Amino acid sequence: MTPTPLNRRQFSIATGAALVAGFHTAQAQEERIVLGQSAAFTGPAAQLGIQFHAGAKLYFDLLNAQGGVGRRAIEIRQLDDGYEPDRCVANTKKLIDDDVFALFGYIGTPTSVAALPLATKARMPFFAPFTGAMALRDPFSKTTFHLRASYNDETALIVKQLTNLGLKKIAVFYQNDAYGKAGLDGVTLALAAQNLKPVALATVERNSVDVAAAVATINAAAPDAVVQISAYKSCAAYIRAARKAGFGGTFYNVSFVGTQALADELGKDGAGVVVSQVVPSPYNAARPIAREFVDAAKKAGNVQPNFSSMEGYLAAKVFAEGLRRGGKPNRESLIVGLESINDQSFGGFAVTFSPTNHVASKFVELSMLTGDGRVRT
């Protein structure tokens, strides 16, 4: 039978339907999963936000080039908070009002502590904050997921290392806010387990390098070692000033300091400074994840491989896995997908979530600055 030719009206309808179908197909391909990140991109803690974001974007760019997740690309909308809680709260309100898919990679304890109640109230997933504070982990939150070990885990290893070396006179230099107090609590707890107490305490204000009073207080106690709980600029300022004032002991830092940023700040003065780490070393090719990350960074050409960017890369990788496992992308399915990741190795970095555990890892190890801008693990 010869097909009946379409009249003009039928042709117009058929053509219109095809165009609409094509439009919806293109629209589906163009749909994006937008994550919101409030972090320091300027100010004394800027390198932490810049490097974490660079690592996460590196992974998402690679993923998007392969079709994203369910044909949806993932992007990060970044807002600068300068490592100040009030600015972080304003940014978080804006991101929630803009209905981003999830909040991702917030940098710091005081900012994350300020943002978390807003995220919880909005039932907005809050994924991989760059902090080990217990205040964000206890009480348990169904919408909050942590990639990294806690500051209690980090400081326990630091204190164990020091006391194993016979160094028991330990002082604490800490930032005068929620971050510093979280680290101080960890050190105090670890010392108490060995019937010890800090021999001296001193503080620095957030985003400040005014450390003279702290140096005088701690040096007067003649400690064997100083555990530092602050950001890289203030820690570097403290190390230089303490040594100039005659301190000959050792310095230990938790991961939030920003290892490469601290090394860059100190230069040759960094020799012997120890930093605890919560992700595998990008400077050691033993683990597949380190080789994968460094190779991707070299090919991209605009990402510096360091611990902060490595953490961003891993956070993006784990987030994408949770999204894949959840099926049709929505916030509820993301939570279900993440909770199904049980003892999975991401290139040698073990991740375990469950419906009652949202802390992926207890991984902690120590590294040391060499004094020529490098890090030895």
Side-chain angles (χ1 to χ4, degrees), residues 200-233:
L201 304 175
T203 63
V204 65
E205 296 305 310
R206 182 176 56 251
N207 286 337
S208 168
V209 293
D210 185 1
V211 298
V215 168
T217 297
I218 289 178
N219 275 17
D224 298 319
V226 179
V227 179
Q228 299 183 286
I229 316 290
S230 193
Y232 58 91
K233 282 193 177 291

Side-chain angles (χ1 to χ4, degrees), residues 330-350:
N330 58 54
R331 291 168 188 149
E332 291 72 23
S333 68
L334 170 66
I335 290 169
V336 171
L338 287 169
E339 288 180 342
S340 74
I341 300 174
N342 183 25
D343 196 23
Q344 179 175 338
S345 175
F346 288 76
F349 181 74

Side-chain angles (χ1 to χ4, degrees), residues 208-281:
S208 168
V209 293
D210 185 1
V211 298
V215 168
T217 297
I218 289 178
N219 275 17
D224 298 319
V226 179
V227 179
Q228 299 183 286
I229 316 290
S230 193
Y232 58 91
K233 282 193 177 291
S234 53
C235 286
Y238 182 92
I239 289 167
R240 282 204 176 97
R243 283 179 172 161
K244 187 175 181 180
F247 178 68
T250 59
F251 298 95
Y252 280 67
N253 292 260
V254 294
S255 59
F256 181 82
V257 74
T259 307
Q260 191 59 56
L262 180 64
D264 292 344
E265 283 287 323
L266 284 171
K268 61 182 176 58
D269 294 327
V273 173
V274 178
V275 185
S276 55
Q277 307 297 346
V278 293
V279 295
S281 172

Side-chain angles (χ1 to χ4, degrees), residues 16 44 50 76 160 163 218 244-245 275 289 320 324 356 362 376:
I50 290 168
I76 307 172
K160 180 181 179 181
T163 54
I218 289 178
K244 187 175 181 180
V275 185
I289 188 63
R324 272 193 217 97
T356 57
K362 290 280 190 178
R376 189 171 74 237

Side-chain angles (χ1 to χ4, degrees), residues 112-131:
S112 295
V113 165
L116 184 59
L118 300 174
T120 302
K121 184 178 179 181
R123 299 188 61 80
M124 177 80 69
F126 192 76
F127 187 81
F130 192 83
T131 167

Side-chain angles (χ1 to χ4, degrees), residues 132-134 150-163 167-175 178-202 218 223 225-230 251-255 276:
M134 294 306 297
S150 72
Y151 291 142
N152 283 9
D153 296 322
E154 292 189 64
T155 51
L157 180 60
I158 287 172
V159 169
K160 180 181 179 181
Q161 168 85 352
L162 286 169
T163 54
L167 306 177
K168 297 185 178 181
K169 293 182 64 180
I170 299 168
V172 184
F173 166 72
Y174 65 101
Q175 196 164 283
Y179 160 49
K181 289 169 185 173
L184 172 62
D185 287 346
V187 175
T188 304
L189 190 67
L191 286 172
Q194 301 192 44
N195 296 316
L196 298 171
K197 293 181 180 180
V199 296
L201 304 175
I218 289 178
V226 179
V227 179
Q228 299 183 286
I229 316 290
S230 193
F251 298 95
Y252 280 67
N253 292 260
V254 294
S255 59
S276 55

Side-chain angles (χ1 to χ4, degrees), residues 34-60:
V34 180
L35 310 181
Q37 182 187 26
S38 179
F41 295 109
T42 58
Q47 283 303 314
L48 304 179
I50 290 168
Q51 296 298 331
F52 185 101
H53 178 86
K57 186 176 184 298
L58 173 64
Y59 180 80
F60 286 142

